[in-house]
Amino acid sequence: MKFNIFIHHDGALGDVLLSLPAINLIHKTSKFLHLAAKSEIGIFFKQLGIVQDMSGTDRAMYLSLYTAQPNAALKKFLSGFKKAFVFTSQENSVIANSLKTLLPDTKVIKTIPPENSIMHIAEYRLRQLKTMIGMTDNEIDNEHPKTSPHIPQVYLKEARKALYNAGYSDARPLICIHPGSGGTRKCWKLEYYLELSEILVRDYKAFVIIFTGHVESETTKTEINNFISGKKDMIHISDNELIGIAAFLNISHIYIGNDSGVSHLASLFCRKVIVIFGPTNPILWRPVGDNVEVISSGLMCSPCSEAISMNCLDKKCLLEIPISTILEKIDMPL
């Protein structure tokens, strides 16, 4: 029998997308699925039909979970659900324990594997869910998403219109670049991305989309705007909603970016995805999909811990990746 199910997942975009195989499986076992997440992520998942409804985790009723004294509004809201799943780093986190007092059938899916684990994060979360619902290994292996979620045509039409208005024609390769990330320690140099963009336009006759979002500084956005000023073969798309970014990715040929949420998004929608890894471990954190190609320096010091990378001054693991290495991975004729 299927029930109304509630999911609480307060991670950033990349973190939630790494949980997508598990969320898809929960969706299949539910009658109605509600996702409490960061608002832009929840809205996006609802637009794609991954969940039936959503709410933002910044709402006051959810904040009461952290006090271990959930308020009356939350109690009333959760009374409409039979089961809950909490994605959290700690089995006995305050929020998990608070939810269990309201919904006894609450399961915790730990988001971070034990130290020295070599299991991919998405697989680690999915296998926990498998154990909870009693699936076999063969059944779980078939639960990885084989196709991209469906993007409503209205957003694809809007993306194409914006590109045509900017001078794009269908005969040209369309390449997306996202030079940012939620952590600057994971970013290849912006100057490298801008130089790469020029090469792609000049030598590959490509049209280039450069994405930025709220995590990129105004200085970075201004630098990109100054760079593309007067150029007819590039467009800077800043602070677009996730469904709009997904639409651009869906109609593009190649995506290039850092270890970031947008790179995980690209793995769902773009034909070919090239992701540059520096201090983080691609064995654990690479975007899911056969369309993903990871580039790393191969230095002995990489990957490293967050504490080490935050204090690293030279960032050799990123700076020693030349533009030529990226170009070698671009499978397009000159």
Side-chain angles (χ1 to χ4, degrees):
M1 182 180 293
K2 294 185 176 182
F3 303 100
N4 292 353
I5 297 179
F6 173 81
I7 294 176
H8 188 283
H9 198 320
D10 200 25
L13 177 61
D15 189 38
V16 179
L17 289 176
L18 283 169
S19 298
L20 184 56
I23 293 173
N24 280 336
L25 181 53
I26 294 171
H27 190 180
K28 288 183 179 182
T29 64
S30 70
K31 178 181 178 182
F32 178 90
L33 185 60
H34 185 104
L35 173 66
K38 296 183 186 303
S39 292
E40 65 169 354
I41 298 172
I43 291 170
F44 178 55
F45 272 47
K46 185 177 178 181
Q47 289 170 323
L48 293 176
I50 296 171
V51 299
Q52 279 77 39
D53 204 3
M54 58 72 59
S55 51
T57 48
D58 58 349
R59 292 176 61 178
M61 67 176 185
Y62 292 130
L63 297 179
S64 73
L65 286 171
Y66 294 94
T67 66
Q69 295 179 328
N71 65 27
L74 182 60
K75 292 178 181 179
K76 181 179 179 180
F77 173 69
L78 290 178
S79 67
F81 298 91
K82 181 71 173 180
K83 297 182 178 182
F85 291 91
V86 185
F87 289 79
T88 180
S89 60
Q90 296 180 351
E91 177 82 34
N92 293 311
S93 65
V94 172
I95 191 169
N97 289 334
S98 294
L99 272 172
K100 288 176 182 177
T101 65
L102 302 174
L103 273 174
D105 194 357
T106 293
K107 301 292 192 299
V108 175
I109 298 179
K110 292 182 287 187
T111 53
I112 305 298
E115 190 175 358
N116 299 322
S117 171
I118 58 172
M119 182 181 292
H120 190 273
I121 298 297
E123 182 72 12
Y124 174 68
R125 298 173 187 180
L126 186 59
R127 297 222 165 243
Q128 291 176 75
L129 179 61
K130 175 210 74 169
T131 301
M132 293 171 187
I133 62 179
M135 292 184 70
T136 67
D137 286 342
N138 287 337
E139 288 173 324
I140 203 68
D141 288 340
N142 293 325
E143 287 302 328
H144 287 288
K146 298 296 192 300
T147 58
S148 300
H150 175 71
I151 300 175
Q153 279 296 320
V154 61
Y155 299 106
L156 296 173
K157 289 179 180 178
E158 288 177 0
R160 290 192 180 96
K161 182 179 179 181
L163 290 173
Y164 295 150
N165 288 341
Y168 173 69
S169 67
D170 290 326
R172 304 179 65 179
L174 184 59
I175 299 180
C176 295
I177 287 176
H178 179 229
S181 171
T184 55
R185 67 190 180 89
K186 300 187 290 184
C187 294
W188 204 43
K189 289 184 69 173
L190 177 60
E191 298 95 296
Y192 292 176
Y193 277 113
L194 299 183
E195 184 178 347
L196 174 63
S197 300
E198 289 187 318
I199 294 172
L200 293 172
V201 169
R202 184 187 68 231
D203 296 345
Y204 293 83
K205 312 304 178 189
F207 190 95
V208 175
I209 302 171
I210 302 177
F211 292 120
T212 57
H214 63 274
V215 299
E216 280 77 56
S217 68
E218 291 304 315
T219 299
T220 295
K221 294 174 183 178
T222 298
E223 187 173 347
I224 293 171
N225 285 333
N226 291 337
F227 171 75
I228 69 168
S229 179
K231 294 181 172 67
K232 298 180 180 180
D233 305 298
M234 300 181 192
I235 184 173
H236 177 201
I237 296 176
S238 183
D239 300 313
N240 201 353
E241 61 177 341
L242 292 176
I243 192 71
I245 296 173
F248 283 112
L249 291 167
N250 187 255
I251 59 179
S252 298
H253 300 92
I254 296 175
Y255 165 90
I256 305 166
N258 306 304
D259 174 17
S260 71
V262 177
S263 294
H264 288 279
L265 189 64
S267 72
L268 289 174
F269 297 105
C270 196
R271 303 176 203 181
K272 180 168 185 174
V273 175
I274 299 171
V275 187
I276 302 169
F277 271 77
T280 48
N281 189 345
I283 294 175
L284 300 177
W285 298 101
R286 63 173 288 153
V288 175
D290 295 334
N291 57 332
V292 178
E293 183 125 24
V294 167
I295 292 177
S296 59
S297 64
L299 294 178
M300 289 294 293
C301 62
S302 176
C304 65
S305 69
E306 182 175 355
I308 292 174
S309 66
M310 290 295 289
N311 293 301
C312 181
L313 299 178
D314 53 25
K315 294 185 178 181
K316 287 185 178 181
C317 61
L318 287 167
L319 298 183
E320 292 194 5
I321 299 175
I323 293 174
S324 59
T325 299
I326 313 300
L327 293 172
E328 288 171 1
K329 304 297 182 181
I330 295 177
D331 186 19
M332 292 191 307
L334 287 170

